[in-house]
Amino acid sequence: MNALGRHILVEFYDCSPELMNDVVHIENSMVAAAETAGATVINSTFHHFSPYGVSGVVVIQESHLAIHTWPEFGYAAVDLFTCGDSVDPWVSYSFLKDAFEAGHGSSMELRRGQLNLLKRTDFNLDALRDVAQRPTDVPGTITRDVWFTERDENIALSLKHTGNQLYKKDSDYQRVEVFETLAYGNMLTLDGMVMCTQKDEYVYHEMITHVPMFSHRKAKRALVIGGGDGGTVRELLRHEQLEEVTLVEIDALVIEACKLHLPETAVAFDNPRLNLLVEDGIKYINECEDGRYDLIIIDSADPVGPGEGLFTAEFYKEVYRCLTPDGVMITQSESPRFNSGVFVEIYDTYKQIFGDNKVHCYLAAIPTYPTGTWSFSYSSKGESNPLVFDKAAAAQFSKAQGLKYYNEDIHVAAFALPNFVKELLSHGSQEVIEQYSAEPTNE
């Protein structure tokens, strides 16, 4: 060969959109394509972007293989670059065409570093080295660098995972996946959005449950809409005062995935006080008798997909009807910084139904949710006030149960709102929303 390397620029068309959005399949295929061609794989780095698209590179001893995909077009742009003549990049080309189920492909080969244009210079490598040589890597080992990214219009969260996807199934409602991340343990995602992780789920679940339970000590019957991961009912069932807890989850696959791969959250599904129903929460609320529940928790995902109907005035009016005269509704109410428009809108809706003085916002720090600051709402049908509670009982409970986030001081502090949140809740004009929202307001 009269050049240092062979570089093939590849375009694959009519690929499977499903495969073009599957970072695990693409990473595995790219590594296998390199190994099939006889290359020595050193490292792989891949990112999945939300809602779709994958970028990545496989570093080989002989150079690299790189890719970026556009699933919405069934298209992949691939670079295959090999040095020397020990590896045939066309073997990798054929392998990837099959792996991506491409209808057809086009390619162009370039010879890189033409020897007749180069002049060799010998030099003493030892004289250039000013740091200790790295230990020799174990032969045959590959450093994998595979990333999940939840990306919105202006911000993104990226988490490195092992590359071995633990769970992936499509239900009638959404795609349910579990990834094994390195920083936060196993992570549940729905349609590419982070729902909970093993290492920080306790923040959300403790705050959505123990705040109302210590503010409404007469609660005997509780209803949870959503929350198929099991964390909310796990925390509720720590309270012996509850005689009955009903969980209504629309998607059985969420329950299945968490039982298999997030057992810490799914630990209470066999509790005899739990009534587990796999059905539509909106339908359940519409058919529920008046004044049945002391506490209703709306543990919903974001207002898209199956969770969209849980963010309407009609739904909250039905929830109000299902509460006892002194009942309490708790919701996750989005991030005031991430999507300020939705945040303002839902609080206006709560106030119209429950009354201005009966609706309270409180905050918690959840690092894997957009912006890291998340809100919850406390809406009282009666006279219950979240800041009127037994601090001594809360302190004893937190210690006895080994809680990781909630305690009597956090209970109070969560209701101390930053000025910008107060401004959003008191004014909520389009100008104020645009000033604070991290995402476009679409107005």
Side-chain angles (χ1 to χ4, degrees), residues 64-373:
H64 70 269
L65 289 73
I67 187 171
H68 185 76
T69 71
W70 285 263
E72 68 272 34
F73 298 113
Y75 170 76
V78 180
D79 284 7
L80 307 173
F81 190 178
T82 62
C83 299
D85 54 10
S86 62
V87 177
D88 184 355
W90 289 105
V91 173
S92 296
Y93 171 89
S94 298
F95 184 96
L96 292 174
K97 186 173 184 293
D98 292 338
F100 297 159
E101 299 180 5
H104 65 283
S106 66
S107 58
M108 175 176 63
E109 181 174 349
L110 305 174
R111 295 300 174 105
R112 306 298 297 273
Q114 296 184 52
L115 292 176
N116 62 327
L117 299 178
L118 301 174
K119 179 180 179 180
R120 184 182 181 90
T121 301
D122 293 322
F123 56 91
N124 184 350
L125 183 61
D126 290 334
L128 301 178
R129 184 178 294 121
D130 58 2
V131 295
Q133 187 174 2
R134 293 178 58 186
T136 303
D137 292 331
V138 178
T141 60
I142 301 173
T143 301
R144 302 181 74 181
D145 199 12
V146 189
W147 291 77
F148 167 91
T149 298
E150 180 183 337
R151 183 178 65 181
D152 288 273
E153 193 74 18
N154 295 330
I155 62 175
L157 168 72
S158 290
L159 293 174
K160 186 176 180 179
H161 61 89
T162 62
N164 299 317
Q165 194 164 8
L166 301 177
Y167 188 95
K168 179 182 178 181
K169 290 185 180 180
D170 289 334
S171 71
D172 293 337
Y173 310 102
Q174 59 205 346
R175 170 161 294 174
V176 182
E177 297 176 280
V178 179
F179 298 88
E180 185 183 11
T181 75
L182 301 185
Y184 288 97
N186 294 350
M187 173 180 69
L188 171 70
T189 69
L190 301 180
D191 285 338
M193 294 184 291
V194 177
M195 293 295 109
C196 66
T197 76
Q198 286 181 309
K199 286 195 176 182
D200 74 349
E201 56 84 13
Y202 57 84
V203 181
Y204 179 95
H205 294 127
E206 290 181 13
M207 292 301 285
I208 205 171
T209 54
H210 302 312
V211 168
M213 286 305 300
F214 279 102
S215 305
H216 187 24
R217 297 302 288 169
K218 295 180 181 180
K220 300 297 182 183
R221 293 193 302 272
L223 169 67
V224 179
I225 300 295
D229 55 65
T232 296
V233 295
R234 177 197 66 197
E235 295 303 315
L236 283 175
L237 289 164
R238 294 181 189 271
H239 294 269
E240 295 298 330
Q241 76 186 66
L242 286 175
E243 299 171 356
E244 174 192 338
V245 176
T246 298
L247 171 63
V248 183
E249 166 59 52
I250 196 171
D251 196 340
L253 292 189
V254 175
I255 299 172
E256 177 184 87
C258 292
K259 282 184 174 180
L260 291 171
H261 302 295
L262 285 92
E264 301 88 351
T265 66
V267 70
F269 283 130
D270 295 327
N271 191 297
R273 287 186 289 150
L274 177 64
N275 178 28
L276 175 60
L277 302 174
V278 179
E279 60 181 83
D280 185 349
I282 297 174
K283 180 176 181 291
Y284 182 89
I285 284 289
N286 289 339
E287 296 176 355
C288 179
E289 64 188 87
D290 292 356
R292 168 147 182 86
Y293 291 102
D294 304 300
L295 172 63
I296 297 179
I297 297 177
I298 312 303
D299 186 0
S300 62
D302 293 336
V304 294
E308 186 173 4
L310 302 178
F311 285 76
T312 65
E314 292 75 14
F315 175 73
Y316 295 125
K317 288 176 183 177
E318 290 297 309
V319 172
Y320 183 91
R321 177 185 59 79
C322 297
L323 288 170
T324 56
D326 59 349
V328 170
M329 179 186 77
I330 303 293
T331 74
Q332 73 83 7
S333 48
E334 300 294 302
S335 166
R337 178 70 74 182
F338 172 64
N339 193 338
S340 304
V342 172
F343 174 78
V344 168
E345 182 180 353
I346 57 179
Y347 272 91
D348 285 345
T349 301
Y350 300 155
K351 291 175 183 178
Q352 292 171 16
I353 297 170
F354 287 85
D356 285 353
N357 298 325
K358 299 294 186 69
V359 178
H360 309 267
C361 173
Y362 63 105
L363 305 177
I366 305 176
T368 53
Y369 283 8
T371 74
T373 299

Side-chain angles (χ1 to χ4, degrees), residues 36-71:
T36 301
T40 301
V41 178
I42 305 299
N43 170 274
S44 67
T45 299
F46 283 78
H47 285 260
H48 174 262
F49 302 105
S50 178
Y52 37 68
V54 174
S55 284
V57 61
V58 175
V59 178
I60 59 178
Q61 187 169 291
E62 299 81 5
S63 194
H64 70 269
L65 289 73
I67 187 171
H68 185 76
T69 71
W70 285 263

